[in-house]
């Protein structure tokens, strides 16, 4: 199948109905920004062997590719609008792979009201490499930023942390045999299919003083908010929200608790709220600490003992 057949068969149907895509029949898309709104633009790539294992259902890979970008839009309080897709695929990629991949995108496009507007497709001598650019909208001047946290603000996270890192352990064959199958399925699902917190992102306008999504571990990402805001943070380990499945596993293997600090792929929102607004915190969010004047991210355990964090999250090229 050549590049043009492939676009015709798998991607034109995903662009149909969105005028600005020009039906993927021109060199570029043509978009008119909605009046009064600004564009929020983000790009995230997934590489086979690094971000996905390779033998997953291609529909799940596609949905994760879209959702990691939607998580960035959520973190900025933006509403999804359009996306662009770049695929670098080995020559022996099967049409069945692309078919499932396109099915995954189709399903999530509907769920998140986002449209395909263009992209690029090329062969590679290496493994699969997938990249997606997502564009969202937000009222002018309202995008949530990493900067803006002030000493005394409460540090909050959505959902539960470490599930995804534990799910990855299962997929890597490192499951604990005493973790029941239903819990294992839950954790694997958290790794394979992130839930972008788009509704929460919208609720954070006028509430959060800073916001980002957690993809590289809480401590490292909180460090980014602190750097951008010129402040520090004190986190209470005991307050970090864990799912029942994660709690059970960590009871059996206590060192895994560190995954709540430095495990990757959480895709939850991390934000700060001035104390006077904390009563407005939406459901499903947990206060885990406070922003400090003293720089650096510090984590405190039982009896307010400070913990030494030796690995500060997932880092590439190290
Ligand atoms: P170019 O020669 O500039 O690379 P192409 O011939 O590759 O352009 O692309 C033709 C059209 O198909 C363009 O509208 C482009 O946006 C679209 N397209 C190509 N690959 C993809 C893809 N993977 N997903 C969505 N649209 C694509
Ligand atoms: Mg091209």
């Amino acid at each position: 199948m050549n590049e043009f057949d492939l676009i015709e068969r798998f991607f034109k149907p995903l662009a149909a109905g969105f005028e600005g895509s020009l039906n993927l029949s021109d060199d570029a898309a043509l978009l008119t920004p909605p009046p009064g709104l600004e564009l929020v633009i983000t790009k995230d790539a997934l590489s086979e062997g690094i971000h996905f294992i390779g033998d997953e259902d291609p529909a799940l890979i596609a949905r994760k590719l879209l959702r990691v970008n939607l998580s960035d839009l959520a973190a900025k309080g933006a509403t999804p609008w359009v996306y662009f897709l770049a695929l670098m695929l080995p020559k022996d990629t099967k049409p069945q792979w692309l078919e499932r991949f396109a099915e995954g995108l189709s399903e999530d496009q509907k769920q998140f009201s986002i449209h395909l507007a263009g992209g690029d497709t090329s062969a590679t001598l290496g493994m699969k490499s997938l990249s997606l650019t997502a564009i969202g909208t937000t009222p002018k001047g309202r995008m949530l930023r990493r900067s803006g946290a002030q000493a005394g603000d409460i540090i909050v996270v959505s959902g539960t942390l470490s599930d995804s890192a534990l799910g990855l352990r299962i997929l890597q064959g490192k499951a604990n045999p005493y973790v029941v199958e239903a819990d294992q399925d839950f954790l694997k699902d958290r790794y394979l299919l992130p839930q972008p917190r788009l509704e929460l992102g919208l609720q954070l306008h006028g509430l959060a003083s800073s916001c980002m999504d957690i993809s590289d571990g809480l401590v490292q990402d909180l460090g980014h908010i602190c750097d951008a805001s010129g402040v520090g943070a004190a986190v209470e380990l005991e307050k970090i929200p864990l799912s029942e499945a994660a709690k059970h596993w960590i009871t059996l293997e206590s060192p895994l608790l560190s995954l709540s600090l430095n495990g990757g792929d959480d895709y939850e929102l991390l934000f700060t709220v001035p104390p006077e607004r904390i009563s407005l915190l939406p459901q499903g969010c947990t206060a885990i600490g406070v922003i400090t004047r003293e720089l650096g991210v510090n984590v405190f355990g039982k009896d307010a003992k400070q913990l030494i964090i030796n690995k500060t999250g997932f880092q590439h090229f190290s």
Side-chain angles (χ1 to χ4, degrees):
M1 198 176 356
N2 74 33
E3 183 191 335
F4 303 108
D5 296 337
L6 187 152
I7 295 166
E8 186 75 31
R9 178 165 162 200
F10 299 114
F11 296 114
K12 279 197 183 171
L14 296 177
F18 181 67
E19 209 181 323
S21 74
L22 307 178
N23 198 29
L24 306 186
S25 301
D26 212 318
D27 294 306
L30 184 64
L31 306 176
T32 309
L37 301 182
E38 279 180 318
L39 302 182
V40 179
I41 305 172
T42 181
K43 182 181 199 67
D44 253 317
L46 300 182
S47 303
E48 181 174 2
I50 307 265
H51 302 96
F52 60 98
I53 295 162
D55 60 358
E56 294 94 338
D57 177 355
L60 283 176
I61 297 172
R63 295 169 77 191
K64 183 160 182 175
L65 177 66
L66 183 55
R67 286 169 181 230
V68 297
N69 282 283
L70 293 174
S71 178
D72 280 323
L73 294 184
K76 302 300 100 188
T79 302
W81 186 32
V82 294
Y83 70 98
F84 294 81
L85 178 67
L87 303 176
M88 265 66 76
L89 302 171
K91 285 215 158 89
D92 61 358
T93 304
K94 305 266 182 304
Q96 293 88 323
W97 192 93
L98 278 155
E99 187 163 14
R100 280 297 292 157
F101 187 84
E103 280 171 10
L105 287 176
S106 173
E107 188 172 338
D108 271 3
Q109 275 187 216
K110 287 185 206 111
Q111 184 170 341
F112 297 106
S113 304
I114 192 165
H115 317 276
L116 181 63
D120 197 22
T121 309
S122 119
T124 171
L125 299 178
M127 293 200 279
K128 291 187 184 73
S129 174
L130 319 169
S131 163
L132 193 146
T133 303
I135 305 182
T137 58
T138 191
K140 276 210 166 87
R142 298 290 298 281
M143 189 185 88
L144 303 172
R145 298 181 185 231
R146 290 183 179 185
S147 56
Q150 298 202 352
D153 286 357
I154 313 292
I155 302 165
V156 181
V157 294
S158 65
T160 53
L161 303 189
S162 80
D163 297 327
S164 189
L166 290 168
L168 177 59
R169 280 181 81 80
I170 299 171
L171 294 166
Q172 290 170 331
K174 293 187 262 180
N176 184 301
Y178 297 103
V179 176
V180 297
E181 204 174 309
D183 281 355
Q184 296 204 20
D185 289 345
F186 166 82
L187 295 169
K188 280 189 285 189
D189 184 64
R190 291 278 283 153
Y191 170 75
L192 293 170
L193 200 61
Q195 303 295 331
R197 304 299 184 192
L198 288 156
E199 273 174 39
L200 175 61
L202 290 176
Q203 292 175 304
L204 293 183
H205 285 295
L207 177 61
S209 50
S210 70
C211 187
M212 69 180 295
D213 72 329
I214 312 179
S215 56
D216 295 334
L218 171 67
V219 169
Q220 179 164 302
D221 286 336
L222 184 53
H224 294 316
I225 283 195
C226 290
D227 289 346
S229 303
V231 293
V235 171
E236 287 179 63
L237 183 64
E238 303 247 294
K239 290 194 175 165
I240 297 175
L242 300 175
S243 65
E244 290 307 315
K247 269 186 214 162
H248 181 219
W249 191 346
I250 290 168
T251 311
L252 300 168
E253 288 180 64
S254 59
L256 293 180
L257 181 58
S258 65
L259 293 177
S260 65
L261 297 172
N262 61 27
D265 272 340
D266 287 310
Y267 298 108
E268 294 293 346
L269 297 189
L270 168 66
F271 55 98
T272 56
V273 178
E276 66 273 15
R277 295 189 210 144
I278 199 71
S279 62
L280 303 172
L281 201 62
Q283 281 205 330
C285 297
T286 309
I288 60 165
V290 66
I291 293 293
T292 57
R293 234 175 296 276
E294 181 199 346
L295 300 183
V297 175
N298 295 301
V299 183
F300 297 90
K302 276 205 183 91
D303 313 322
K305 274 215 189 88
Q306 187 170 349
L307 305 179
I308 312 286
I309 315 284
N310 39 21
K311 273 210 304 188
T312 53
F314 185 82
Q315 286 176 327
H316 290 271
F317 309 112
S318 61

